Amino acid sequence: MLMAINTRIGILGGGQLGKMLVQSGSRWNLDMWVLDKDFDFPAARVTNQFIKGDFTEFEQVYQLGKMVDVVTIEIENVNTEALHKLEKEGKDIYPSPKVIDTIKDKGLQKLFYREHQLPTSDFDLYQDADHIRKAVSAGKLTIPFVQKARTEGYDGRGVFVVRTDNDLEDLLDVASVVEDLVNIDKELAVSVARNPSGNIGIFPPVEMTFHPEANLVEELLSPARIADELRQKIEALAKDIALAFDLVGLLAIELFLTRSGDILINEAAPRPHNSGHHTIEGNVTSQYEQLLRSILDLPLGSTEITSPAAMINILGEEGYTGPVHYEGLAECLAMDQVHLHIYGKAQTKPFRKMGHATILDKDLDHAIKKAKQVSKTLKVIT
Ligand code: ADP
């Protein structure tokens, strides 16, 4: 049998998450092959084992699978038919295509939580905008509510909050989940990894604040500022979710803490996630290394926090579209414990995720102050 470390890994997706996964694996000299559309994508800048292709196409995913020992993903929107076929043929696919299928359709994902009695906001599924309007007219559905496209929404696109009758005009005309508008106190996230031997590792929960307009994480704080009891409750829930999915790999779970103190699952992603970037510098083991450990059936690493951290996404400035230019890099690097990650995307556009910064400080409030300073100083323009 091959040593795990000699296993050849295929990664579907070569964005920033793929890049950081490759960077993590290169410390162990892992043999990793990345499939994505173009050589100017972030992961292609850190490996020459980059295959130009389309991970939504059956044949290209299947061919990648044939040349590696284990396949993983950095994005859910991949061709899972090819992954099912590869799995039937005995290939290790982590996360399993079944989990990817359930998660990439928000409707199936919500049904999964309901079926497994995992806490999530109440919801119904609708075919299109017309059916939603009819349900409102018939008194079966009351405003306010949140409409979500079942597929292909990301970073808040495909999420529409209906607060008034007028908003009904602007419904997305797609198959949707319609769920209760939650009275949110805090948005939290927790990541859990599991390997084929059944070891489970849970990262301490983090807290997120959102950019109101772009609907992207504005700041992520580690650890979340919550009571110990709540932290334990969240970690127990993360374990239940991982077991319900029969997960192998990494699962990032976004949660709502409601004003009445309940924890509800918003959604999950079976891959590295924006809410785990800070683990590179702020935890003993990063989410990327943990994913590699889990899919190679190696012992999982300690998830312990080594320093409080504030993470901010570095987004394309509003009003600039074109070849990217970074302003204020040197000023940010002059600040203590500011760790910059520039993904290497050639083109910027408003709110595009171009990089992130993790700011460490033994005092989380100081880290937050410094993060705001970095946000103000660093500009992504053309
Ligand atoms: P995406 O997959 O595009 O990130 P999410 O389902 O995470 O979409 O929703 C994006 C944001 O919209 C959430 O972080 C939260 O701020 C808000 N949101 C989503 N669902 C609800 C809800 N049921 N009630 C209140 N706010 C919500």
Side-chain angles (χ1 to χ4, degrees), residues 106 121 146 148 153-157 159 179-182 184 187 210 215 254 256 266-267:
K106 288 189 184 201
S121 61
V146 180
K148 295 185 180 181
Y154 65 97
D155 286 346
R157 275 164 273 195
V159 176
E179 58 184 49
D180 288 353
L181 179 67
V182 176
I184 300 172
E187 298 204 33
F210 279 81
N215 221 343
E254 295 178 24
F256 298 138
N266 176 27
E267 59 170 0

PDB file of all heavy atoms in Angstrom, residues 106 121 146 148 153-157 159 179-182 184 187 210 215 254 256 266-267, ligand 1:
ATOM      1  N   LYS A 106     -29.689  24.146  -2.373  1.00  0.00           N
ATOM      2  CA  LYS A 106     -30.098  24.615  -1.042  1.00  0.00           C
ATOM      3  C   LYS A 106     -31.413  23.983  -0.594  1.00  0.00           C
ATOM      4  O   LYS A 106     -31.662  23.855   0.604  1.00  0.00           O
ATOM      5  CB  LYS A 106     -30.225  26.145  -1.028  1.00  0.00           C
ATOM      6  CG  LYS A 106     -28.883  26.855  -1.082  1.00  0.00           C
ATOM      7  CD  LYS A 106     -28.992  28.350  -0.839  1.00  0.00           C
ATOM      8  CE  LYS A 106     -27.606  28.973  -1.009  1.00  0.00           C
ATOM      9  NZ  LYS A 106     -27.469  30.267  -0.351  1.00  0.00           N
ATOM     10  N   SER A 121     -33.974  27.204  10.047  1.00  0.00           N
ATOM     11  CA  SER A 121     -35.209  27.991   9.990  1.00  0.00           C
ATOM     12  C   SER A 121     -36.262  27.227   9.180  1.00  0.00           C
ATOM     13  O   SER A 121     -35.927  26.457   8.272  1.00  0.00           O
ATOM     14  CB  SER A 121     -34.933  29.347   9.348  1.00  0.00           C
ATOM     15  OG  SER A 121     -34.457  29.155   8.035  1.00  0.00           O
ATOM     16  N   VAL A 146     -37.393  35.107   3.426  1.00  0.00           N
ATOM     17  CA  VAL A 146     -36.156  35.155   2.629  1.00  0.00           C
ATOM     18  C   VAL A 146     -36.280  34.148   1.494  1.00  0.00           C
ATOM     19  O   VAL A 146     -36.602  32.979   1.727  1.00  0.00           O
ATOM     20  CB  VAL A 146     -34.918  34.820   3.498  1.00  0.00           C
ATOM     21  CG1 VAL A 146     -33.639  34.881   2.661  1.00  0.00           C
ATOM     22  CG2 VAL A 146     -34.811  35.781   4.677  1.00  0.00           C
ATOM     23  N   LYS A 148     -34.336  32.170  -1.520  1.00  0.00           N
ATOM     24  CA  LYS A 148     -32.982  31.785  -1.952  1.00  0.00           C
ATOM     25  C   LYS A 148     -33.066  30.891  -3.175  1.00  0.00           C
ATOM     26  O   LYS A 148     -33.836  29.920  -3.180  1.00  0.00           O
ATOM     27  CB  LYS A 148     -32.263  31.010  -0.837  1.00  0.00           C
ATOM     28  CG  LYS A 148     -32.010  31.851   0.387  1.00  0.00           C
ATOM     29  CD  LYS A 148     -31.205  31.108   1.425  1.00  0.00           C
ATOM     30  CE  LYS A 148     -30.969  31.997   2.629  1.00  0.00           C
ATOM     31  NZ  LYS A 148     -30.170  31.339   3.663  1.00  0.00           N
ATOM     32  N   GLY A 153     -26.331  30.099  -6.287  1.00  0.00           N
ATOM     33  CA  GLY A 153     -26.151  31.364  -5.561  1.00  0.00           C
ATOM     34  C   GLY A 153     -24.838  31.274  -4.797  1.00  0.00           C
ATOM     35  O   GLY A 153     -24.450  30.196  -4.373  1.00  0.00           O
ATOM     36  N   TYR A 154     -24.147  32.378  -4.646  1.00  0.00           N
ATOM     37  CA  TYR A 154     -22.983  32.394  -3.772  1.00  0.00           C
ATOM     38  C   TYR A 154     -22.711  33.826  -3.335  1.00  0.00           C
ATOM     39  O   TYR A 154     -23.143  34.772  -3.985  1.00  0.00           O
ATOM     40  CB  TYR A 154     -21.735  31.792  -4.440  1.00  0.00           C
ATOM     41  CG  TYR A 154     -21.239  32.590  -5.625  1.00  0.00           C
ATOM     42  CD1 TYR A 154     -20.205  33.499  -5.496  1.00  0.00           C
ATOM     43  CD2 TYR A 154     -21.830  32.430  -6.872  1.00  0.00           C
ATOM     44  CE1 TYR A 154     -19.765  34.236  -6.574  1.00  0.00           C
ATOM     45  CE2 TYR A 154     -21.395  33.161  -7.958  1.00  0.00           C
ATOM     46  CZ  TYR A 154     -20.364  34.067  -7.797  1.00  0.00           C
ATOM     47  OH  TYR A 154     -19.945  34.807  -8.871  1.00  0.00           O
ATOM     48  N   ASP A 155     -21.999  33.979  -2.215  1.00  0.00           N
ATOM     49  CA  ASP A 155     -21.659  35.302  -1.682  1.00  0.00           C
ATOM     50  C   ASP A 155     -22.868  36.231  -1.657  1.00  0.00           C
ATOM     51  O   ASP A 155     -22.779  37.414  -2.001  1.00  0.00           O
ATOM     52  CB  ASP A 155     -20.532  35.949  -2.510  1.00  0.00           C
ATOM     53  CG  ASP A 155     -19.180  35.292  -2.224  1.00  0.00           C
ATOM     54  OD1 ASP A 155     -19.106  34.551  -1.228  1.00  0.00           O
ATOM     55  OD2 ASP A 155     -18.240  35.520  -2.993  1.00  0.00           O
ATOM     56  N   GLY A 156     -24.013  35.704  -1.288  1.00  0.00           N
ATOM     57  CA  GLY A 156     -25.186  36.553  -1.129  1.00  0.00           C
ATOM     58  C   GLY A 156     -25.973  36.784  -2.414  1.00  0.00           C
ATOM     59  O   GLY A 156     -27.112  37.250  -2.371  1.00  0.00           O
ATOM     60  N   ARG A 157     -25.375  36.460  -3.587  1.00  0.00           N
ATOM     61  CA  ARG A 157     -26.163  36.557  -4.817  1.00  0.00           C
ATOM     62  C   ARG A 157     -27.118  35.379  -4.817  1.00  0.00           C
ATOM     63  O   ARG A 157     -26.744  34.271  -4.481  1.00  0.00           O
ATOM     64  CB  ARG A 157     -25.253  36.483  -6.061  1.00  0.00           C
ATOM     65  CG  ARG A 157     -24.690  37.868  -6.411  1.00  0.00           C
ATOM     66  CD  ARG A 157     -23.530  37.761  -7.338  1.00  0.00           C
ATOM     67  NE  ARG A 157     -22.314  37.580  -6.554  1.00  0.00           N
ATOM     68  CZ  ARG A 157     -21.095  37.743  -7.037  1.00  0.00           C
ATOM     69  NH1 ARG A 157     -20.929  38.038  -8.312  1.00  0.00           N
ATOM     70  NH2 ARG A 157     -20.031  37.591  -6.278  1.00  0.00           N
ATOM     71  N   VAL A 159     -29.823  35.511  -2.934  1.00  0.00           N
ATOM     72  CA  VAL A 159     -30.565  35.635  -1.669  1.00  0.00           C
ATOM     73  C   VAL A 159     -31.350  36.942  -1.716  1.00  0.00           C
ATOM     74  O   VAL A 159     -30.781  37.999  -1.995  1.00  0.00           O
ATOM     75  CB  VAL A 159     -29.617  35.639  -0.452  1.00  0.00           C
ATOM     76  CG1 VAL A 159     -30.395  35.875   0.835  1.00  0.00           C
ATOM     77  CG2 VAL A 159     -28.845  34.332  -0.370  1.00  0.00           C
ATOM     78  N   GLU A 179     -37.650  30.811   3.193  1.00  0.00           N
ATOM     79  CA  GLU A 179     -37.511  30.489   4.618  1.00  0.00           C
ATOM     80  C   GLU A 179     -37.851  31.681   5.493  1.00  0.00           C
ATOM     81  O   GLU A 179     -37.869  32.827   5.042  1.00  0.00           O
ATOM     82  CB  GLU A 179     -36.101  29.963   4.912  1.00  0.00           C
ATOM     83  CG  GLU A 179     -34.986  30.918   4.551  1.00  0.00           C
ATOM     84  CD  GLU A 179     -33.602  30.302   4.768  1.00  0.00           C
ATOM     85  OE1 GLU A 179     -33.364  29.174   4.321  1.00  0.00           O
ATOM     86  OE2 GLU A 179     -32.755  30.982   5.381  1.00  0.00           O
ATOM     87  N   ASP A 180     -38.112  31.403   6.754  1.00  0.00           N
ATOM     88  CA  ASP A 180     -38.408  32.462   7.730  1.00  0.00           C
ATOM     89  C   ASP A 180     -37.254  33.450   7.797  1.00  0.00           C
ATOM     90  O   ASP A 180     -36.087  33.039   7.767  1.00  0.00           O
ATOM     91  CB  ASP A 180     -38.584  31.852   9.132  1.00  0.00           C
ATOM     92  CG  ASP A 180     -39.880  31.084   9.262  1.00  0.00           C
ATOM     93  OD1 ASP A 180     -40.692  31.145   8.313  1.00  0.00           O
ATOM     94  OD2 ASP A 180     -40.062  30.412  10.307  1.00  0.00           O
ATOM     95  N   LEU A 181     -37.581  34.710   7.898  1.00  0.00           N
ATOM     96  CA  LEU A 181     -36.568  35.731   8.165  1.00  0.00           C
ATOM     97  C   LEU A 181     -36.179  35.600   9.633  1.00  0.00           C
ATOM     98  O   LEU A 181     -37.022  35.756  10.522  1.00  0.00           O
ATOM     99  CB  LEU A 181     -37.132  37.121   7.874  1.00  0.00           C
ATOM    100  CG  LEU A 181     -36.187  38.295   8.133  1.00  0.00           C
ATOM    101  CD1 LEU A 181     -35.020  38.292   7.156  1.00  0.00           C
ATOM    102  CD2 LEU A 181     -36.934  39.619   8.038  1.00  0.00           C
ATOM    103  N   VAL A 182     -34.914  35.270   9.867  1.00  0.00           N
ATOM    104  CA  VAL A 182     -34.462  35.012  11.231  1.00  0.00           C
ATOM    105  C   VAL A 182     -34.064  36.327  11.900  1.00  0.00           C
ATOM    106  O   VAL A 182     -33.430  37.181  11.264  1.00  0.00           O
ATOM    107  CB  VAL A 182     -33.257  34.039  11.217  1.00  0.00           C
ATOM    108  CG1 VAL A 182     -32.703  33.840  12.625  1.00  0.00           C
ATOM    109  CG2 VAL A 182     -33.651  32.707  10.598  1.00  0.00           C
ATOM    110  N   ILE A 184     -31.619  37.789  13.724  1.00  0.00           N
ATOM    111  CA  ILE A 184     -30.243  37.353  13.997  1.00  0.00           C
ATOM    112  C   ILE A 184     -29.574  38.235  15.050  1.00  0.00           C
ATOM    113  O   ILE A 184     -29.569  39.452  14.938  1.00  0.00           O
ATOM    114  CB  ILE A 184     -29.400  37.398  12.694  1.00  0.00           C
ATOM    115  CG1 ILE A 184     -30.006  36.477  11.630  1.00  0.00           C
ATOM    116  CG2 ILE A 184     -27.950  37.016  12.969  1.00  0.00           C
ATOM    117  CD1 ILE A 184     -29.368  36.600  10.258  1.00  0.00           C
ATOM    118  N   GLU A 187     -23.924  36.147  13.556  1.00  0.00           N
ATOM    119  CA  GLU A 187     -23.653  35.082  12.587  1.00  0.00           C
ATOM    120  C   GLU A 187     -22.341  34.423  12.988  1.00  0.00           C
ATOM    121  O   GLU A 187     -21.330  35.088  13.203  1.00  0.00           O
ATOM    122  CB  GLU A 187     -23.588  35.654  11.172  1.00  0.00           C
ATOM    123  CG  GLU A 187     -24.922  36.286  10.784  1.00  0.00           C
ATOM    124  CD  GLU A 187     -25.159  36.366   9.281  1.00  0.00           C
ATOM    125  OE1 GLU A 187     -24.711  35.478   8.542  1.00  0.00           O
ATOM    126  OE2 GLU A 187     -25.828  37.332   8.868  1.00  0.00           O
ATOM    127  N   PHE A 210     -20.987  41.218   8.504  1.00  0.00           N
ATOM    128  CA  PHE A 210     -21.189  41.265   7.055  1.00  0.00           C
ATOM    129  C   PHE A 210     -21.175  42.676   6.507  1.00  0.00           C
ATOM    130  O   PHE A 210     -21.654  43.608   7.143  1.00  0.00           O
ATOM    131  CB  PHE A 210     -22.513  40.600   6.671  1.00  0.00           C
ATOM    132  CG  PHE A 210     -22.388  39.119   6.606  1.00  0.00           C
ATOM    133  CD1 PHE A 210     -22.436  38.355   7.754  1.00  0.00           C
ATOM    134  CD2 PHE A 210     -22.183  38.489   5.385  1.00  0.00           C
ATOM    135  CE1 PHE A 210     -22.292  36.985   7.698  1.00  0.00           C
ATOM    136  CE2 PHE A 210     -22.030  37.128   5.326  1.00  0.00           C
ATOM    137  CZ  PHE A 210     -22.092  36.369   6.487  1.00  0.00           C
ATOM    138  N   ASN A 215     -22.904  41.925   0.878  1.00  0.00           N
ATOM    139  CA  ASN A 215     -23.261  40.660   1.485  1.00  0.00           C
ATOM    140  C   ASN A 215     -22.080  39.697   1.563  1.00  0.00           C
ATOM    141  O   ASN A 215     -22.221  38.490   1.393  1.00  0.00           O
ATOM    142  CB  ASN A 215     -24.427  40.012   0.733  1.00  0.00           C
ATOM    143  CG  ASN A 215     -25.419  39.398   1.714  1.00  0.00           C
ATOM    144  OD1 ASN A 215     -25.072  39.190   2.884  1.00  0.00           O
ATOM    145  ND2 ASN A 215     -26.610  39.104   1.264  1.00  0.00           N
ATOM    146  N   GLU A 254     -22.269  27.522   8.458  1.00  0.00           N
ATOM    147  CA  GLU A 254     -22.653  28.878   8.857  1.00  0.00           C
ATOM    148  C   GLU A 254     -23.892  28.789   9.730  1.00  0.00           C
ATOM    149  O   GLU A 254     -24.839  28.070   9.401  1.00  0.00           O
ATOM    150  CB  GLU A 254     -22.952  29.723   7.620  1.00  0.00           C
ATOM    151  CG  GLU A 254     -21.736  29.959   6.743  1.00  0.00           C
ATOM    152  CD  GLU A 254     -22.068  30.770   5.496  1.00  0.00           C
ATOM    153  OE1 GLU A 254     -23.060  31.523   5.507  1.00  0.00           O
ATOM    154  OE2 GLU A 254     -21.334  30.628   4.507  1.00  0.00           O
ATOM    155  N   PHE A 256     -26.754  30.832  12.577  1.00  0.00           N
ATOM    156  CA  PHE A 256     -27.339  32.040  13.150  1.00  0.00           C
ATOM    157  C   PHE A 256     -27.552  31.802  14.634  1.00  0.00           C
ATOM    158  O   PHE A 256     -28.109  30.774  15.018  1.00  0.00           O
ATOM    159  CB  PHE A 256     -28.719  32.336  12.533  1.00  0.00           C
ATOM    160  CG  PHE A 256     -28.706  32.593  11.054  1.00  0.00           C
ATOM    161  CD1 PHE A 256     -29.688  32.037  10.238  1.00  0.00           C
ATOM    162  CD2 PHE A 256     -27.735  33.404  10.470  1.00  0.00           C
ATOM    163  CE1 PHE A 256     -29.706  32.281   8.868  1.00  0.00           C
ATOM    164  CE2 PHE A 256     -27.738  33.656   9.097  1.00  0.00           C
ATOM    165  CZ  PHE A 256     -28.724  33.093   8.299  1.00  0.00           C
ATOM    166  N   ASN A 266     -27.571  27.854   8.995  1.00  0.00           N
ATOM    167  CA  ASN A 266     -27.916  28.569   7.769  1.00  0.00           C
ATOM    168  C   ASN A 266     -27.578  27.679   6.587  1.00  0.00           C
ATOM    169  O   ASN A 266     -28.463  27.222   5.870  1.00  0.00           O
ATOM    170  CB  ASN A 266     -27.187  29.923   7.701  1.00  0.00           C
ATOM    171  CG  ASN A 266     -27.451  30.643   6.388  1.00  0.00           C
ATOM    172  OD1 ASN A 266     -28.490  30.424   5.770  1.00  0.00           O
ATOM    173  ND2 ASN A 266     -26.525  31.462   5.948  1.00  0.00           N
ATOM    174  N   GLU A 267     -26.307  27.419   6.386  1.00  0.00           N
ATOM    175  CA  GLU A 267     -25.915  26.526   5.294  1.00  0.00           C
ATOM    176  C   GLU A 267     -24.522  26.004   5.558  1.00  0.00           C
ATOM    177  O   GLU A 267     -23.797  26.540   6.399  1.00  0.00           O
ATOM    178  CB  GLU A 267     -25.970  27.253   3.954  1.00  0.00           C
ATOM    179  CG  GLU A 267     -25.069  28.467   3.893  1.00  0.00           C
ATOM    180  CD  GLU A 267     -24.945  29.050   2.490  1.00  0.00           C
ATOM    181  OE1 GLU A 267     -25.559  28.517   1.560  1.00  0.00           O
ATOM    182  OE2 GLU A 267     -24.205  30.040   2.342  1.00  0.00           O
TER     183      GLU A 267
HETATM  184  P1  ADP B   1     -24.784  32.647   0.237  1.00  0.00           P
HETATM  185  O1  ADP B   1     -24.811  31.188   0.009  1.00  0.00           O
HETATM  186  O2  ADP B   1     -24.940  33.434  -1.015  1.00  0.00           O
HETATM  187  O3  ADP B   1     -23.648  33.105   1.106  1.00  0.00           O
HETATM  188  P2  ADP B   1     -26.537  32.725   2.549  1.00  0.00           P
HETATM  189  O4  ADP B   1     -27.615  31.727   2.604  1.00  0.00           O
HETATM  190  O5  ADP B   1     -25.334  32.480   3.395  1.00  0.00           O
HETATM  191  O6  ADP B   1     -26.129  32.979   1.038  1.00  0.00           O
HETATM  192  O7  ADP B   1     -27.123  34.149   2.924  1.00  0.00           O
HETATM  193  C1  ADP B   1     -26.336  35.312   2.890  1.00  0.00           C
HETATM  194  C2  ADP B   1     -26.663  36.210   4.069  1.00  0.00           C
HETATM  195  O8  ADP B   1     -28.046  36.598   4.035  1.00  0.00           O
HETATM  196  C3  ADP B   1     -26.494  35.559   5.417  1.00  0.00           C
HETATM  197  O9  ADP B   1     -25.170  35.597   5.850  1.00  0.00           O
HETATM  198  C4  ADP B   1     -27.418  36.395   6.294  1.00  0.00           C
HETATM  199  O10 ADP B   1     -26.810  37.631   6.631  1.00  0.00           O
HETATM  200  C5  ADP B   1     -28.576  36.675   5.357  1.00  0.00           C
HETATM  201  N1  ADP B   1     -29.609  35.631   5.524  1.00  0.00           N
HETATM  202  C6  ADP B   1     -29.659  34.444   4.900  1.00  0.00           C
HETATM  203  N2  ADP B   1     -30.725  33.715   5.295  1.00  0.00           N
HETATM  204  C7  ADP B   1     -31.365  34.449   6.210  1.00  0.00           C
HETATM  205  C8  ADP B   1     -32.546  34.250   6.999  1.00  0.00           C
HETATM  206  N3  ADP B   1     -33.291  33.150   6.897  1.00  0.00           N
HETATM  207  N4  ADP B   1     -32.914  35.231   7.855  1.00  0.00           N
HETATM  208  C9  ADP B   1     -32.189  36.368   7.960  1.00  0.00           C
HETATM  209  N5  ADP B   1     -31.091  36.614   7.234  1.00  0.00           N
HETATM  210  C10 ADP B   1     -30.667  35.679   6.373  1.00  0.00           C
END
